[in-house]
Amino acid sequence: MALSQSLQQKLLQKLSPQQIQLMKLLQVPTANLEERIKEELEENPALEVSEENHDEYDNETKDEFDSSDEEDFDVDGSEDEYDNIDISEYVGDEDGEIADYKLRDDNYPEMDDKKVVPYRIETSFHEHLLGQLGMMKMSDNERKIAEQIVGSIDDDGYLRRETAAIVDDLAFRQNIETNEQEVEKVIKMIQQFDPPGVCARDLQECLLLQLARQQREGKNVDKAIDVLTDYFDEFTKKHYDKIQRGLNLDDEGLKDVIGQIIKLTPKPGGNHGDINKAESYVVPDFFVFNNGGKLELTLNSKNAPDLRISEGYRDMLREYDKGSKKDKRQKEAVLFIKQKIDAAKWFIDAIKQRQHTLSSVMETIMTYQREFFLTGDETTMKPMILKDIAERTGLDISTVSRVANSKFVQTEFGTYRLKFFFSESLSTDSGEEVSTREVKKILSDLIEGESKKKPLSDEKLTELLQEKGYNIARRTVAKYREQLNIPVARLRKEL
């Protein structure tokens, strides 16, 4: 359903720079919007947050304008442009539109405090490793090698860079001469760090490192080590009979070994990865409430501060307008101020347009999938594609795609990404068009209720779905099962 990258690039080529910026702003999720607004506030002094006290800032800008020192403003313009500056729309005698040109209005009331989603602040995974490195006794050369290795470890805890490549990095980037044997020695040292399994090159090594740690702690994991050392492929493919014959294990012994292995952590860095507040917690962009059978939609505006044009900049234009002497330096300054005010007005308009577009798309999705928002039952969802929403809202399909791929809605049944509500259609025996989401839900329920000692094959799942009236082929069942991240029957089998 998402547009291809090449198609998106073709569409962007037809847009003006401001339209492109607006489309990019539309993609920003609520969790990151505050940071984007902060960037704009830092770049444009004519834009401000109305709740803050700007007296000190205004005084600074006035002093800058009134200064007699020669100053160069990076403004392109001819003498005619300086002589014909029209600032009438900026300096009305009464409260003009610039003073009232702000973002917040009654359409976006403040949300309850309980809906503010906090974010975690903690030591990152790499900082955790470097902290342990600082307590190690090693030579200066080994420490520099260790720092290079730690910096090469991925967020999930794996070292996927070849030893030879690390040697080259140290030689070319840090002018440190070493060899693969010395690097391997330092890797072994880092592999003793917490969390267990860190700095492994692959899953097998990661699991074996964890078992070796348990073995040193006195736990009986010898058989589990044998399984992962000699029968790793058989274990991943669940060919348990080969493992039993090779290690002379009975059913109970095999169960114990499997139990020990599945308790290990396949991604040791998973609990310590670099924390990003947008990734740690989902910040909903919308809230849908069921008020006695009437659905109510609220846009989360908590991360969009009340923006407005700086009153200080407007005052500077007034002073210029009242003055009798207007030299070139002052005219250059006025052009600069106008540019900043126009940019601030555009940014506020862009934020407003973003809010309007988000509300329009979500309102249409909520109406289209009304039964789901009332009941939370996935089987009530209707087939819905991007074109359906684009036609109802009058927006371009690419715009709807950007909203659907990056926004979340909180309901009483959970928080969902908007693209969750989009699905293709499938025909039943009666000719009725149903959502593929409905079929996936039934498929998931069938697999969840199966006997794990004798899991259902794709052929059997196809038969059961056809008995329920869904015209579906076995290859389609296999595709849906893969989309649900459900393995084949052989890998779902349990002893």
Side-chain angles (χ1 to χ4, degrees), residues 251-408:
D251 289 346
E252 195 63 34
L254 182 61
K255 280 186 179 181
D256 289 341
V257 169
I258 293 174
Q260 291 174 342
I261 295 175
I262 62 176
K263 290 178 183 178
L264 303 175
T265 304
K267 294 183 179 181
N271 295 327
H272 293 270
D274 289 339
I275 298 300
N276 177 288
K277 61 183 177 183
E279 297 171 351
S280 300
Y281 294 97
V282 170
V283 179
D285 301 88
F286 314 93
F287 301 92
V288 173
F289 305 96
N290 182 355
N291 188 1
K294 180 182 178 181
L295 294 176
E296 297 179 352
L297 172 66
T298 305
L299 179 65
N300 184 356
S301 56
K302 203 67 175 178
N303 290 319
D306 190 358
L307 301 175
R308 70 177 184 184
I309 305 299
S310 168
E311 183 66 23
Y313 265 55
R314 183 169 179 252
D315 288 343
M316 291 193 297
L317 291 181
R318 279 175 172 166
E319 291 178 13
Y320 170 83
D321 191 48
K322 292 176 182 178
S324 58
K325 181 183 178 182
K326 298 180 174 63
D327 57 32
K328 181 178 178 180
R329 187 189 63 79
Q330 288 180 312
K331 293 175 182 178
E332 289 176 345
V334 169
L335 282 177
F336 172 80
I337 293 169
K338 281 185 62 179
Q339 289 176 354
K340 291 301 181 182
I341 289 177
D342 288 339
K345 288 173 64 177
W346 175 85
F347 186 76
I348 291 174
D349 275 336
I351 294 290
K352 283 184 176 179
Q353 182 61 41
R354 174 186 182 276
Q355 291 175 324
H356 174 75
T357 302
L358 294 184
S359 296
S360 177
V361 171
M362 188 62 235
E363 183 79 36
T364 305
I365 293 174
M366 184 180 71
T367 302
Y368 208 106
Q369 303 290 6
R370 184 174 186 275
E371 287 302 314
F372 172 81
F373 284 102
L374 288 173
T375 65
D377 185 357
E378 290 186 32
T379 62
T380 64
M381 291 179 64
K382 298 162 61 177
M384 184 180 78
I385 58 177
L386 294 173
K387 185 180 178 182
D388 295 325
I389 303 302
E391 289 177 348
R392 294 195 179 199
T393 58
L395 297 169
D396 191 91
I397 290 180
S398 63
T399 302
V400 177
S401 175
R402 283 178 170 84
V403 175
N405 282 321
S406 60
K407 305 298 182 294
F408 292 84

Side-chain angles (χ1 to χ4, degrees), residues 15 20 78 106 115 118 129 133 138 159 175 185 216 246 270 294 329 337 374 395 421 469 477-479:
L15 300 176
I20 292 174
S78 64
D106 294 336
K115 295 187 180 70
L129 295 178
L133 180 60
M138 56 178 63
L159 177 64
N175 197 28
K185 174 186 174 184
R216 289 195 297 273
K294 180 182 178 181
R329 187 189 63 79
I337 293 169
L374 288 173
L395 297 169
F421 301 101
V477 169
K479 182 180 73 172

Side-chain angles (χ1 to χ4, degrees), residues 92-228:
D93 291 335
E94 299 178 2
D95 289 338
E97 69 172 272
I98 296 300
D100 293 334
Y101 208 95
K102 54 187 180 181
L103 176 60
R104 186 80 66 195
D105 55 36
D106 294 336
N107 294 326
Y108 305 102
E110 290 290 334
M111 303 301 298
D112 297 335
D113 290 339
K114 64 182 180 181
K115 295 187 180 70
V116 178
V117 182
Y119 61 92
R120 297 179 292 182
I121 300 177
E122 60 182 62
T123 304
S124 73
F125 175 53
H126 289 87
E127 289 172 342
H128 178 64
L129 295 178
L130 289 173
Q132 297 177 75
L133 180 60
M135 295 184 286
M136 293 286 292
K137 186 176 181 180
M138 56 178 63
S139 66
D140 290 342
N141 201 57
E142 287 177 333
R143 189 170 302 280
K144 290 177 180 178
I145 295 172
E147 289 173 353
Q148 180 71 29
I149 293 170
V150 169
S152 301
I153 295 175
D154 291 342
D155 288 343
D156 58 5
Y158 285 86
L159 177 64
R160 294 185 172 90
R161 193 131 177 86
E162 296 291 336
T163 305
I166 294 175
V167 172
D168 292 340
D169 289 343
L170 288 163
F172 293 119
R173 296 183 182 180
Q174 299 190 44
N175 197 28
I176 297 174
E177 291 294 331
T178 185
N179 53 55
E180 292 188 30
Q181 290 74 23
E182 189 174 16
V183 171
E184 281 292 334
K185 174 186 174 184
V186 177
I187 288 175
K188 296 298 183 185
M189 297 169 66
I190 296 174
Q191 286 178 345
Q192 306 308 311
F193 287 4
D194 287 326
V198 70
C199 202
R201 270 63 71 91
D202 53 41
L203 177 62
Q204 183 180 19
E205 185 178 21
C206 176
L207 299 179
L208 284 170
L209 285 171
Q210 295 177 57
L211 289 174
R213 181 82 61 92
Q214 293 182 15
Q215 190 179 47
R216 289 195 297 273
E217 294 171 354
K219 296 182 180 179
N220 185 13
V221 292
D222 294 350
K223 289 294 183 183
I225 292 175
D226 291 340
V227 169
L228 293 182

Side-chain angles (χ1 to χ4, degrees), residues 240-241 244 250-256 258 452-453 492-495:
Y240 296 140
D241 53 339
Q244 282 185 283
D250 56 20
D251 289 346
E252 195 63 34
L254 182 61
K255 280 186 179 181
D256 289 341
I258 293 174
K452 296 306 177 185
K453 291 187 176 182
R492 301 198 304 272
K493 184 176 180 180
E494 297 178 1
L495 294 176

